Amino acid sequence: MSGRQYASLASGGLDPSSPAMRLFQKAKRFGIWNPCDIDLAQDRVEWPRFDEREQDVILRLVALFQAGEESVAVDLLPLIGVIASEGRLDEELYLASFLWEEAKHVEFMRRYLTEVCQASGDLHAYSTPSYEAIFGEALPTALQRLRTDSSPRAQAEASVIYNMIVEGVLAETGYHAIFTTSDRLGILPGLRRGMELMMQDEARHIAYGVLLLSRLVAEHPELWEQIEAKLQAYFPLAAGVITEVFDHYQPDVPFGLDYQEFLMYAMNQFERRYNRLLRAKGRGADAAMQLAHQSIDEEENSP
């Protein structure tokens, strides 16, 4: 047979039961929300009632989310290119929705900064050394490396920093901060709703990271030591972001937010994803796919 080979025309076509296609179906069912439709009216009413320090901590959290969402949206393309070049059509289809969701997150956070926080000036001062080490150095370096190095080793490092650390630890801890504040005090319903939808999207993103890393470990068992080493190396930077944010407000942190609670929450999120990946160690391809299915089922807040 001559000419181009089409995965969707090959024997068997697309497998709707594959983990990637399951994620794609979920993205189509639950990821169709419009950042412009979220009602921010009550948040705008509440904003002037907060004192200066309370406004600053909200603005800081939203600004850090904004920069983080922009970073992951910009840096995802090389991974999509690698997956496409390997002919993994089901994963590529899912990653198309993945990037679209990151774009929506960027739009929502910027809308919140403008319409509620009334932030029109430069917000780069909210970045901290650990934050910059992750989003300004580690994340773009690992993802952009894929443009010239598509090796399994390079893919594994990119997924560790993107899916396991940025989304699985930092973003999840940020959501916890917003949910805790909103639920405890009955405030900021628009921000909470937007974050809830973003978190549902990113639960699927994390599940994809488990799929990718499990598959890579099954195909290349020698990668486990590198994945484990990178997880251990990057977590202190994530913890550093949390520490640096709280240090700015100690000893009286606005809204009663407690540093130890959030550091412990971050550690628990890290351990959850680490233990899930640990199950892939020394197992074959079929077991890796089973693990990916379990991850889709287990991710909290994933519809």
Side-chain angles (χ1 to χ4, degrees):
M1 181 177 180
S2 60
R4 183 174 183 178
Q5 300 296 298
Y6 298 90
S8 59
L9 296 182
S11 178
L14 285 170
D15 179 4
S17 66
S18 74
M21 290 303 292
R22 283 189 62 199
L23 288 170
F24 188 44
Q25 299 309 319
K26 282 178 171 285
K28 291 186 294 179
R29 290 170 58 203
F30 302 109
I32 309 300
W33 57 275
N34 186 348
C36 297
D37 291 341
I38 295 176
D39 186 359
L40 301 180
Q42 183 61 31
D43 297 51
R44 286 193 289 268
V45 169
E46 293 172 354
W47 180 256
R49 300 174 183 171
F50 299 128
D51 64 33
E52 184 176 347
R53 295 179 79 249
E54 290 171 336
Q55 287 184 347
D56 190 73
V57 76
I58 296 169
L59 182 56
R60 183 181 297 271
L61 288 172
V62 175
L64 293 178
F65 257 107
Q66 172 71 84
E69 296 298 341
E70 178 181 334
S71 296
V72 294
V74 169
D75 293 327
L76 182 60
L77 280 171
L79 178 61
I80 297 177
V82 169
I83 296 301
S85 70
E86 293 182 346
R88 302 183 188 278
L89 183 59
D90 57 344
E91 293 187 31
E92 183 185 357
L93 292 179
Y94 170 64
L95 287 172
S97 70
F98 191 137
L99 181 57
W100 179 65
E101 288 166 353
E102 298 291 18
K104 290 190 302 175
H105 301 174
V106 173
E107 181 183 21
F108 174 71
M109 300 315 300
R110 185 60 249 186
R111 180 181 173 222
Y112 202 88
L113 284 171
T114 301
E115 297 184 20
V116 177
C117 303
Q118 302 176 40
S120 58
D122 191 288
L123 301 174
H124 284 85
Y126 285 121
S127 182
T128 66
S130 294
Y131 188 92
E132 185 62 22
I134 292 176
F135 290 97
E137 298 175 21
L139 180 67
T141 297
L143 271 294
Q144 294 304 318
R145 173 186 173 188
L146 295 175
R147 295 187 183 276
T148 57
D149 178 4
S150 61
S151 67
R153 181 175 295 273
Q155 292 183 47
E157 180 169 2
S159 184
V160 165
I161 183 65
Y162 193 120
N163 303 115
M164 299 297 106
I165 298 298
V166 169
E167 294 186 315
V169 177
L170 276 178
E172 296 254 313
T173 304
Y175 295 136
H176 184 61
I178 297 299
F179 295 162
T180 298
T181 301
S182 178
D183 294 347
R184 182 184 297 161
L185 302 176
I187 59 174
L188 305 175
L191 181 59
R192 195 200 191 288
R193 178 55 178 161
M195 290 287 192
E196 180 182 13
L197 292 166
M198 288 168 57
M199 188 175 184
Q200 288 178 353
D201 289 345
E202 292 195 350
R204 295 188 293 274
H205 301 178
I206 296 167
Y208 176 76
V210 173
L211 162 62
L212 175 57
L213 290 168
S214 299
R215 173 169 61 73
L216 289 171
V217 169
E219 296 170 353
H220 309 278
E222 71 278 5
L223 287 180
W224 173 253
E225 290 186 4
Q226 179 214 356
I227 291 171
E228 186 174 40
K230 293 298 181 181
L231 284 167
Q232 298 297 337
Y234 287 135
F235 178 75
L237 289 177
V241 174
I242 299 166
T243 300
E244 289 159 2
V245 168
F246 274 88
D247 281 351
H248 190 79
Y249 301 100
Q250 297 288 13
D252 184 21
V253 182
F255 303 115
L257 298 176
D258 179 75
Y259 168 68
Q260 291 297 332
E261 174 191 346
F262 285 90
L263 184 61
M264 184 60 65
Y265 184 87
M267 292 176 64
N268 288 339
Q269 295 303 100
F270 174 80
E271 290 176 1
R272 279 184 61 218
R273 278 47 186 257
Y274 174 82
N275 289 333
R276 191 168 295 166
L277 290 174
L278 189 61
R279 283 184 264 165
K281 182 181 178 182
R283 303 176 71 181
D286 290 343
M289 290 303 99
Q290 182 181 4
L291 177 61
H293 281 296
Q294 291 173 356
S295 180
I296 295 171
D297 295 334
E298 292 172 7
E299 275 299 334
E300 293 179 358
N301 301 296
S302 182

